[in-house]
Amino acid sequence: MTADTSSTSSARSSSGTPMIRMTGVDKHFGDLHVLRDIDLEVARGQVVVVLGPSGSGKSTLCRTINRLEPIDSGEIAIDGTPLPAEGKALAGLRADVGMVFQSFNLFAHKTILENVTLAPQKVRGTRREDAEKAGMVLLERVGIANQKDKYPAQLSGGQQQRAAIARALAMTPKVMLFDEPTSALDPEMVQEVLDTMTGLASDGMTMLVVTHEMGFARRAAHRVVFMSDGEIAEDSTPEAFFSKPKTDRARDFLGKIL
Ligand code: ADP
Ligand code: MG
């Protein structure tokens, strides 16, 4: 275990219960050991940016947190409640964890407003009127309320990703996971999505963000977690990580991207 744990005390919220807590999490794909003894705590309201080379396990880490991927051993708890293996309780907990992917994954044959209002009605049992009211507030918040009756293909990539963020927020998640949310976007659309995410962070959302946008990491992250070969190799503040990475692997990574 090579993780730098010097900053983990800052991972605790004042109330004591971390919003995300991973303890000794291991995950294999066949012979490939993709997550190795991961210990990670994210406090309420904290923004953690996950960096690391391609194939280091960043996406798998995200996917285990809402059990899109099962783990082999260890424990993951959201706001103090351990993730159950399966069943109805899992669906409820999964709803607490919003996820936004590189590909926007919107329902192509539903309007933007329908995309945002579907899950609250189906999973939470919200009345349509109420879901639409709440959905419009969210579309305002991400700046695309005037697009509500359009279909995803009629929107720009940046607008689609903001719709995907609104759709995740519609479930009133406790945690938002972002897996390279701007990687599929044309460059001129990256900033509007990052701005939306920065707004969320300012509103106090707990966020785990896999990104290659170093500007966002420097400005918005409370912590940077650097993954390498399925391990958390460093866990520190953005200032410390970017100015004085502690491991050769992180120095090598930064040398390639900066
Ligand atoms: P990252 O997001 O950091 O690029 P991933 O978490 O996607 O890394 O992948 C970590 C490793 O696990 C890679 O070697 C990848 O090829 C492998 N992997 C990811 N998903 C699967 C899967 N469903 N089946 C088998 N191997 C996988
Ligand atoms: Mg990935």
Side-chain angles (χ1 to χ4, degrees):
M1 185 76 199
T2 54
D4 163 33
T5 52
S6 62
S7 67
T8 47
S9 58
S10 66
R12 290 188 181 280
S13 64
S14 48
S15 68
T17 307
M19 193 56 98
I20 305 173
R21 192 189 65 232
M22 305 181 77
T23 323
V25 170
D26 272 286
K27 164 85 185 165
H28 293 77
F29 286 118
D31 289 340
L32 193 64
H33 199 171
V34 280
L35 295 179
R36 297 167 186 259
D37 194 19
I38 298 288
D39 292 321
L40 178 68
E41 290 189 356
V42 181
R44 192 179 302 268
Q46 208 172 36
V47 178
V48 174
V49 163
V50 180
L51 302 177
S54 178
S56 57
K58 306 180 300 295
S59 293
T60 306
L61 180 83
C62 286
R63 294 168 61 84
T64 60
I65 293 174
N66 64 354
R67 278 289 201 273
L68 287 173
E69 289 288 353
I71 58 177
D72 301 336
S73 57
E75 192 186 82
I76 302 175
I78 303 298
D79 199 13
T81 306
L83 281 185
E86 56 195 337
K88 215 179 158 83
L90 179 58
L93 262 189
R94 205 176 258 163
D96 283 342
V97 182
M99 183 142 178
V100 174
F101 303 87
Q102 179 174 340
S103 52
F104 324 123
N105 293 358
L106 293 168
F107 304 119
H109 302 292
K110 304 275 181 197
T111 67
I112 296 304
L113 184 59
E114 286 166 349
N115 264 278
V116 173
T117 56
L118 214 60
Q121 295 178 77
K122 288 205 163 162
V123 181
R124 296 252 199 250
T126 308
R127 284 171 46 218
R128 182 175 157 169
E129 267 176 53
D130 295 334
E132 289 187 347
K133 233 178 252 168
M136 285 310 297
V137 171
L138 289 171
L139 291 179
E140 292 279 357
R141 187 168 166 193
V142 302
I144 54 168
N146 54 354
Q147 310 292 323
K148 71 181 176 73
D149 294 322
K150 291 193 181 163
Y151 289 87
Q154 296 173 291
L155 268 58
S156 72
Q159 290 171 327
Q160 288 186 56
Q161 194 58 304
R162 286 185 281 150
I165 293 172
R167 185 177 63 172
L169 291 174
M171 295 296 283
T172 56
K174 292 180 169 179
V175 173
M176 285 283 283
L177 308 175
F178 294 87
D179 190 2
E180 302 200 28
T182 60
S183 295
L185 297 177
D186 290 333
E188 73 270 23
M189 290 164 193
V190 167
Q191 199 53 47
E192 66 193 47
V193 172
L194 294 179
D195 288 346
T196 302
M197 292 165 60
T198 304
L200 261 186
S202 317
D203 291 345
M205 178 61 76
T206 307
M207 295 167 48
L208 190 76
V209 183
V210 179
T211 185
H212 299 297
E213 294 294 329
M214 297 303 143
F216 178 82
R218 284 174 191 275
R219 279 192 307 274
H222 299 107
R223 275 162 68 200
V224 167
V225 162
F226 174 71
M227 289 192 72
S228 172
D229 293 329
E231 286 182 330
I232 295 181
E234 298 200 27
D235 181 346
S236 55
T237 63
E239 300 78 41
F241 181 77
F242 289 112
S243 62
K244 274 191 212 138
K246 294 189 186 71
T247 59
D248 288 341
R249 291 185 282 184
R251 269 189 291 277
D252 187 48
F253 172 76
L254 287 171
K256 282 179 184 144
I257 55 155
L258 293 180

